[in-house]
Amino acid sequence: MIVILEPDADVAHVAAALQGLGLWTRPMAGGSPAMLEVEAHSASVAEAVVLAVPGVAQVRSRVSPHPRVDVMSRTFTLPIAGGASLVLGRDTVLVAGPCAVESAESIAQAAALVAQAGGRLLRGGAFKPRTSPYSYAGSGIQALKWLAEAARQHGLGVVTEAMSELHVDAVAEVADVIQVGSRNMQNFALLAAVGRKAKPVLLKRGRGASVEEWLMAGEHLLAHGAAWVLFCERGVAGLVGETRNTLDLAAVALLRHAYELPVAVDPSHGTGRRDLVVPMAKAGAAAGASVVLVEVHPEPARAKSDGPQALLPPQLKELGEHFGLPPVVPANTALPPYTSRYPEFYKKSVAERRRAVIANLGLSHDAQAYLRHGRLDFAIADKMSENVISTFALPLALGLNFRINGRDYLVPMVVEEPSVVAAASNAARMVRAAGGFRGDATASIMTAQVQFDHVADPPAAAEMMRQRRDVVVAAANAAIPRMVARGGGCMDMDARVLDGPGGLVVLHLYVDVGDAMGANVVDTVAEHVAPLVQSWVGGKVGLRILSNLPLRRLVHVECDVAADMLGGADLADGIARASNFAEVDPFRAATHNKGILNGIDAVAVALGQDWRAVEAGAHAYAGLGSDYRPLATWTRTATGLRGVMELPLAIGTVGGSTQAHPGVRTAMEIVKVESARELSVVMAAVGLASNLAALRALAGEGIQHGHMRLHARKSDVFTAQAEHKEIR
Ligand code: MEV
């Protein structure tokens, strides 16, 4: 058995705890995560018991010869030039460049080609292993400098090979990813030296190496501290006389689909022939390689090495287009300031709007690619839900004109109802003229509930819980050490006596979940604390779950809007009267709040939030008093109207689908918020804008004439532009 430790665990401490269970362990060589191998003469202990030891992250009962490869993260976030980053193992990444870095000029030309084709990493050898001692063997240390400079200028990262232990330091200085070449796959001294640099490594498979030997070479790198290993198939000795090697696509598929490991494919060495590189690159990607590594040369006929397998510039471009890769914007290109004002955006084509946003926002390569294809991979979809048979698309649109707390926001919105985005953008334009929205949110405090039924003396039990507040809070925090380390955790508690069978007491735990939506965190807390409290108060433990009415997680927004902007004093009066109508009539308040949630939900869907939780919280909050009430109200001011809104919003900027769904990640890049609190203010502002737009239409010419007319687009897309004009 192998015990894998948490990153910050104290190895000696964990070993001592395991010894207490009868498990004798010895530490395995290597860096993070630390691992303990359980010796054969140890007691037999259930996996669940070992997992319960503090500091233990995982247990592997089947001992593999490459445990570090087995537990290595399947993705690696690689920061590259200009503050950008790639997620290797997940993003489709094109790595390209010449076989050798021949001169400063030629590598600069190659870098420009790579960036234009959408490549993210520039490859090129400074030290070349050559079969003949008389062949060009690279330009050495000075070539590393040329390579680094060319990559920097074009916003690319660097992959280059360390051929000997002597050059590892120099290579590690410029390489974002260190390459270990095919010939050196089993040069264990080199693997150790490269591993010690703690960088990600691209490990080429040896020409005659089995998959197991290849994986063991990866294990060597990781055992010596390599940050991550990307296995690169580059062709093995084969029977096809006309190709340099045989690109083993079955091995690519095996690593990707059976081992679920990150794989790169190198069809240039795999075939040795320019005419076969593009088709084999496509085949490699289809087999499961997320990284495609190819050679390209500005003038292959003049290349000092491997000219016949170097792609011509148009071929590289074709490959980039095939993978839907947008050109890389050099890091030093100045971007215009972030604005939410895009006049006449509606008049442009979808492609023109996309280009304008991409140019303005400096979006990541992934986000740009997502905007182009709008696809959710089946593999991701399959992990997000169950019984998946396909994916389902909706329009991703932008709410424009939003200015909130003095900052512009472009707000991604996903909604199937026409007019919601146009209406919110139009209202935001009117509010903007009066200075924009103002808002604030409380800390992200969620409520966990623990139900105790059949409690003998409910008031006494509730009092006992309150008196032991500090113990309850400490027990809750023991369940979520990472959240506590991030500055969150259980802050307070309360106990409520309710009507229930034989005495119902409900414990509330108030947990600051930081930037997470927090459902998992609070459910964990509730489950952890329940048995302890039950041991004091007796009864039967019932539900242990969050409340979707998080009264300590409120957001407040308000705004002013001039009567002139609205279309005159009569309209302003009409909106104030409409607001009053909702205040005195729950039938109207329900529709009024639906109009608010039109905007909030659209942002929630675009940003991967649990919109059912948002809806539940909003309606429960509206119904808290004796009557169901409007969440937003509008009153007349000297110049126009003031709108005020408050509601609970349980949303997050980390966890959930925020990381998994490429569309959500793209939307997060567009909205550019720093925290969940900031996002909740943005969402509430969109809700208030939607409400204003709806009331203005209702108080004016009527919903059918104005607001709802965009519904006509459902049946006739060609009428849309004319109608858009009217709503702006
Ligand atoms: C329609 O989706 C929303 C409205 O009914 C909201 C309202 O009546 O305030 C227009």
Side-chain angles (χ1 to χ4, degrees):
M1 184 193 279
I2 289 178
V3 181
I4 298 142
L5 273 52
E6 304 270 14
D8 46 4
D10 180 332
V11 180
H13 215 260
V14 177
L18 293 174
Q19 199 166 325
L21 296 171
L23 296 174
W24 299 85
T25 59
R26 58 169 170 264
M28 295 176 67
S32 181
M35 295 183 177
L36 295 171
E37 191 174 0
V38 177
E39 293 179 14
H41 55 82
S42 296
S44 149
V45 178
E47 246 183 63
V49 175
V50 180
L51 277 170
V53 172
V56 172
Q58 282 184 56
V59 174
R60 298 244 154 189
S61 44
R62 200 180 66 79
V63 179
S64 145
H66 37 70
R68 291 186 185 280
V69 170
D70 296 345
V71 301
M72 183 183 82
S73 163
R74 271 37 188 159
T75 58
F76 184 87
T77 303
L78 181 73
I80 55 171
S85 65
L86 307 172
V87 182
L88 293 173
R90 188 198 70 196
D91 304 344
T92 300
V93 177
L94 180 62
V95 184
C99 169
V101 180
E102 297 165 356
S103 68
E105 296 71 38
S106 73
I107 190 68
Q109 280 172 11
L113 296 174
V114 175
Q116 277 156 23
R120 304 303 305 283
L121 296 168
L122 181 64
R123 56 141 296 145
F127 307 97
K128 298 301 307 173
R130 305 307 303 273
T131 306
S132 162
Y134 311 114
S135 305
Y136 169 65
S139 296
I141 298 286
Q142 60 177 348
L144 290 175
K145 296 200 178 99
W146 300 333
L147 179 67
E149 180 53 21
R152 194 192 59 75
Q153 275 184 8
H154 290 88
L156 304 172
V158 169
V159 179
T160 193
E161 178 173 349
M163 224 182 70
S164 106
E165 291 164 69
L166 294 177
H167 303 133
V168 169
D169 285 343
V171 167
E173 223 161 85
V174 304
D176 295 290
V177 178
I178 304 177
Q179 177 176 319
V180 171
S182 184
R183 290 171 169 87
N184 275 321
M185 191 202 85
Q186 285 187 315
N187 178 344
F188 299 117
L190 178 66
L191 294 178
V194 169
R196 280 194 289 273
K197 288 292 155 195
K199 289 211 150 199
V201 181
L202 181 139
L203 175 64
K204 290 207 173 183
R205 180 181 177 188
R207 191 168 186 269
S210 68
V211 167
E212 195 62 15
E213 286 165 338
W214 191 16
L215 295 177
M216 288 310 297
E219 187 73 12
H220 270 271
L221 285 165
L222 293 170
H224 286 95
W228 195 68
V229 178
L230 175 61
F231 292 90
C232 178
E233 166 59 37
R234 50 75 72 199
V236 290
L239 300 174
V240 188
E242 290 172 61
T243 59
R244 181 169 169 181
N245 293 297
T246 293
L247 194 64
D248 186 357
L249 294 184
V252 172
L254 181 80
L255 256 64
R256 173 67 188 81
H257 299 290
Y259 289 90
E260 295 187 344
L261 282 168
V263 203
V265 71
D266 169 4
S268 303
H269 289 90
T271 63
R273 291 173 51 147
R274 176 178 310 127
D275 57 337
L276 303 185
V277 169
V278 171
M280 290 310 281
K282 293 177 185 173
S290 60
V291 175
V292 172
L293 181 112
V294 293
E295 291 189 352
V296 65
H297 195 285
E299 289 178 276
R302 298 164 71 105
K304 291 187 180 167
S305 57
D306 283 355
Q309 69 189 36
L311 290 181
L312 300 168
Q315 289 177 303
L316 185 70
K317 197 157 172 277
E318 182 204 326
L319 201 55
E321 280 166 6
H322 171 80
F323 293 125
L325 304 175
V328 174
V329 181
N332 53 6
T333 302
L335 292 167
Y338 182 88
T339 174
S340 65
R341 288 287 295 146
Y342 284 77
E344 307 205 318
F345 201 53
Y346 65 95
K347 284 188 179 167
K348 301 189 188 322
S349 69
V350 174
E352 282 169 340
R353 288 182 206 135
R354 194 170 51 222
R355 275 198 291 276
V357 171
I358 287 172
N360 197 31
L361 299 194
L363 295 180
S364 74
H365 178 269
D366 285 352
Q368 295 183 33
Y370 179 81
L371 291 181
R372 262 167 244 270
H373 60 62
R375 273 196 317 263
L376 177 64
D377 282 355
F378 286 161
I380 298 174
D382 197 28
K383 292 207 170 85
M384 290 179 71
S385 183
E386 304 77 39
N387 300 346
V388 170
I389 56 170
S390 189
T391 57
F392 184 96
L394 281 172
L396 168 61
L398 290 181
L400 303 179
N401 308 322
F402 280 91
R403 193 161 180 79
I404 306 164
N405 291 337
R407 212 209 95 175
D408 271 25
Y409 290 87
L410 269 175
V411 190
M413 298 174 77
V414 170
V415 59
E416 88 298 343
E417 183 177 334
S419 87
V420 169
V421 177
S425 303
N426 194 30
R429 184 178 56 79
M430 296 175 192
V431 171
R432 184 186 182 90
F437 296 88
R438 305 174 293 275
D440 199 4
T442 61
S444 307
I445 299 200
M446 292 293 277
T447 306
Q449 293 194 295
V450 188
Q451 173 193 4
F452 297 92
D453 277 320
H454 304 295
V455 176
D457 183 349
E463 190 48 32
M464 181 190 286
M465 291 181 201
R466 284 188 209 110
Q467 276 174 4
R468 298 185 184 182
R469 176 197 170 279
D470 292 349
V471 183
V472 174
V473 168
N477 282 332
I480 47 169
R482 287 194 191 149
M483 185 53 81
V484 173
R486 288 202 295 272
C490 185
M491 301 293 166
D492 201 358
M493 56 141 283
D494 198 3
R496 300 163 63 223
V497 177
L498 301 175
D499 288 340
L504 166 60
V505 183
V506 178
L507 171 65
H508 277 199
L509 297 152
Y510 300 112
V511 184
D512 187 337
V513 296
D515 287 324
M517 186 275 185
N520 290 332
V521 175
V522 294
D523 293 351
T524 304
V525 165
E527 289 183 11
H528 191 81
V529 166
L532 173 72
V533 176
Q534 190 200 21
S535 71
W536 304 333
V537 302
K540 190 165 169 38
V541 173
L543 309 186
R544 291 144 295 161
I545 185 82
L546 90 169
S547 165
N548 280 121
L549 178 55
L551 280 185
R552 299 190 181 199
R553 198 173 190 178
L554 296 179
V555 52
H556 177 98
V557 282
E558 55 183 61
C559 68
D560 291 300
V561 56
D564 288 352
M565 285 301 287
L566 290 165
D570 281 355
L571 263 175
D573 286 340
I575 293 170
R577 284 203 314 278
S579 174
N580 181 61
F581 178 12
E583 283 183 67
V584 297
D585 179 20
F587 291 93
R588 173 56 208 159
T591 324
H592 180 100
N593 289 345
K594 192 271 182 182
I596 293 170
L597 287 159
N598 270 349
I600 294 181
D601 281 353
V603 188
V605 175
L607 293 170
Q609 306 298 326
D610 181 347
W611 49 268
R612 287 86 54 213
V614 167
E615 285 270 340
H619 290 300
Y621 191 67
L624 257 191
S626 51
D627 270 328
Y628 181 92
R629 299 197 29 99
L631 294 165
T633 53
W634 295 88
T635 47
R636 282 293 263 131
T637 60
T639 52
L641 283 173
R642 172 160 298 168
V644 175
M645 185 171 81
E646 188 172 84
L647 80 166
L649 267 184
I651 51 97
T653 50
V654 296
S657 59
T658 51
Q659 261 106 53
H661 193 294
V664 172
R665 289 200 303 272
T666 302
M668 282 288 182
E669 281 193 34
I670 291 172
V671 74
K672 294 195 193 300
V673 291
E674 304 265 315
S675 66
R677 283 171 75 174
E678 185 182 354
L679 178 58
S680 67
V681 173
V682 173
M683 290 172 71
V686 178
L688 192 57
S690 302
N691 182 231
L692 175 63
L695 298 190
R696 178 172 174 265
L698 288 162
E701 53 197 0
I703 199 78
Q704 293 302 350
H705 189 70
H707 181 65
M708 299 278 276
R709 280 186 53 192
L710 284 177
H711 281 269
R713 288 197 307 182
K714 273 185 177 162
S715 52
D716 184 355
V717 291
F718 298 108
T719 58
Q721 297 226 332
E723 286 160 356
H724 260 307
K725 263 184 220 152
E726 286 168 38
I727 205 147
R728 276 171 168 75

